[in-house]
Amino acid sequence: MTAARTAATARRVVQQLQHDHRTVALILVVPCVLMGLLAWMLSSADFNQYGAPLLGIFPLIVMFLTTSVATLRERESGTLERLLSMPIAKVDFVFGYALAFGLLGVVQALVVSGLAVGPFGLDVAGPTWALIVVAVVDALLGTALGLFVSAFAKTEFQAVQFMPALILPQLLLCGIVVPRDELPTVLRWVSDLLPMSYAVDAMTEVMTSSAVTAEFWLNVGIVALFMAVGLALGAGTLRRRTP
Amino acid sequence: MTAESQAVVCQDLRVVRGGVAVLPGLTAHVASGRITGLLGPSGSGKTTLIRSIVGVQQVASGTVSVLGMPAGSAELRSRVAYVTQDASVYADLTVAQNVGYFASVLGAPACDVDRVIGEVGLGGREGDRVGRLSGGERSRVSLAVALLGAPEVLVLDEPTVGLDPVLRRDLWAMFGELAASGLTLLVSSHVMDEASRCDDLMLLRDGQLLAHDSVAAILASTSCSDIESAFLSLVEGGS
């Protein structure tokens, strides 16, 4: 791999986003509106409980969808085949996407958490930057998962269907609906294997303790590990030779 | 013919796609520094042969070597340029952004971007989004990408589809200049009248090589005055 090719790929993905104002606007505005809706309908104690995990879940879902459709498009349009016939390493391609969407994740996290903590009155015990860290790691996890599943989709319709298949079970088991230690034992084990559980745990740590704890970094580290495995698997699904 | 004069050598190449043996066992070569036309009806295996030469096709058996190395070798990735049938460029980027990105991937110098855009006649259109260009202009952007850097072998799958006659003439003139400067070109087409622009012809039908010779030799051996009738006479003679 080379830094130049990774950077060129990231720059190209950002350029594509720059031409697609509507997608960027949706990525930035929709989470803000939903967050506002939550702040409006929930009591402030409930908003703290549900709002904070959502700060981490939005980037995951959004980047998952964007990446899986974007990568699928590359496979369908022949640009991926052309790139892989050129001197680019598979990790250059994968890291390029991760960098670009990680950057978008930073912007999204800044905007949404800025609004949540400011006007919407989310009461965070820990530092705000820790919220951003979790949101960005989640964005990267979404990118990694999106890259991986796009290998198993033949159409954009199929790619979009992977969202409820892979993300909704994590949402149900991550502790927002039922606290994780109150889940039936088997489901508790399953939730221990899902990355979103750790993302939500990390968010909860920031919400409840004023200092940045080792527990926080452990959870962030686990999410980052899932992301690294996802990116490696994603790179593994890229084939220079196809049938 | 010596090994050095052959840029591409296929030996007993067998490719199966979707359960069908598209190439049942093809042995062929492409001469260096010449324009070889790969002609045949749609479905004859032209694209599959081209994909095998570029190294993006899964091959059942047989060998393909390009510039003395197995097709698809890492070293060949900057020496062999490939233009797919559909323009493989990003519709949501401008002409310059597309060419610029592929130039970075190939490690081509920055000045190459303006050069190749000029060579395909898109000078002045650098800032236009590719998705808003016509089909012919889009395939020229794709061709511009293939001219980046210094490829030694240029493999073009139906590069002139959808182009007007003036542009087709200009492109063939450019292919001639590239071959004169030492490049090897393999150009597929189902338009038989483009055959006269080539040095050598490969006539492909149902994955079999019907004929492979210079244009003059094929016309002489079939006693035909044009390639289309030569092709028909070879098909009928064979059946």
Side-chain angles (χ1 to χ4, degrees), chain B residues 22-23 26 38 41-50 204-207:
Chain B
V22 182
L23 299 176
L26 187 79
L38 178 59
S42 15
S44 58
K46 300 188 297 290
T47 297
T48 305
L49 176 56
I50 279 179
L204 203 62
R205 186 173 184 255
D206 296 335

Side-chain angles (χ1 to χ4, degrees), chain B residues 141-213:
Chain B
V141 178
S142 194
L143 180 62
V145 170
L147 300 173
L148 286 165
E152 293 161 55
V153 178
L154 205 51
V155 184
L156 310 156
D157 198 358
E158 309 246 3
T160 58
V161 170
L163 298 188
D164 64 72
V166 177
L167 213 59
R168 263 169 58 179
R169 184 200 59 199
D170 293 351
L171 279 184
W172 277 103
M174 184 174 80
F175 296 162
E177 285 165 25
L178 290 170
S181 73
L183 257 80
T184 303
L185 284 92
L186 178 65
V187 186
S188 84
S189 178
H190 66 269
V191 188
M192 297 288 171
D193 66 3
E194 293 195 328
S196 56
R197 309 280 195 162
C198 303
D199 300 312
D200 296 325
L201 288 182
M202 294 165 87
L203 298 184
L204 203 62
R205 186 173 184 255
D206 296 335
Q208 310 271 11
L209 207 51
L210 283 183
H212 182 191
D213 217 325

Side-chain angles (χ1 to χ4, degrees), chain A residues 24-45:
Chain A
V24 174
L26 285 168
I27 287 176
L28 296 180
V29 173
V30 172
C32 293
V33 172
L34 292 176
M35 200 54 91
L37 195 64
L38 278 180
W40 194 7
M41 62 189 232
L42 297 175
S43 69
S44 61

Side-chain angles (χ1 to χ4, degrees), chain A residues 5 19 74 81-82 241-242, chain B residues 51 56-57 90 105 142:
Chain A
R5 291 187 174 104
H19 287 293
E74 292 235 28
E81 175 169 300
R82 171 171 238 167
R241 281 182 190 271
T242 49
Chain B
R51 285 171 42 88
V56 298
Q57 175 68 52
Y90 297 96
V105 169
S142 194

Side-chain angles (χ1 to χ4, degrees), chain A residues 2 4-20 70 73-74 76-89 92-93 97 239-243, chain B residues 16-17 51-52 54-59 70-72 74 76-78 80 82-84 86-90 92-94 97 100-102 104-107 129 141-143 145-146:
Chain A
T2 65
R5 291 187 174 104
T6 306
T9 304
R11 191 174 64 233
R12 185 262 297 174
V13 175
V14 169
Q15 284 171 341
Q16 287 180 295
L17 286 169
Q18 282 171 345
H19 287 293
D20 192 353
R73 251 193 237 168
E74 292 235 28
E76 281 188 330
S77 67
T79 46
L80 182 65
E81 175 169 300
R82 171 171 238 167
L83 275 177
L84 291 178
S85 76
M86 290 181 172
I88 186 171
D92 289 333
F93 179 84
Y97 263 94
R239 291 274 173 269
R240 291 199 194 263
R241 281 182 190 271
T242 49
Chain B
V16 181
R17 297 185 80 177
R51 285 171 42 88
S52 307
V54 180
V56 298
Q57 175 68 52
Q58 280 175 12
V59 167
L76 290 174
R77 284 181 201 136
S78 52
V80 177
Y82 169 37
V83 181
T84 48
D86 303 315
S88 300
V89 284
Y90 297 96
D92 47 2
L93 292 183
T94 66
Q97 286 173 336
Y101 172 54
F102 286 109
S104 318
V105 169
L106 286 165
R129 281 257 285 281
V141 178
S142 194
L143 180 62
V145 170

Side-chain angles (χ1 to χ4, degrees), chain A residues 5 45 58 75 79 85 109 160 223-224 227:
Chain A
R5 291 187 174 104
F58 286 136
R75 289 178 200 270
T79 46
S85 76
V160 171
V223 179
M227 172 204 81

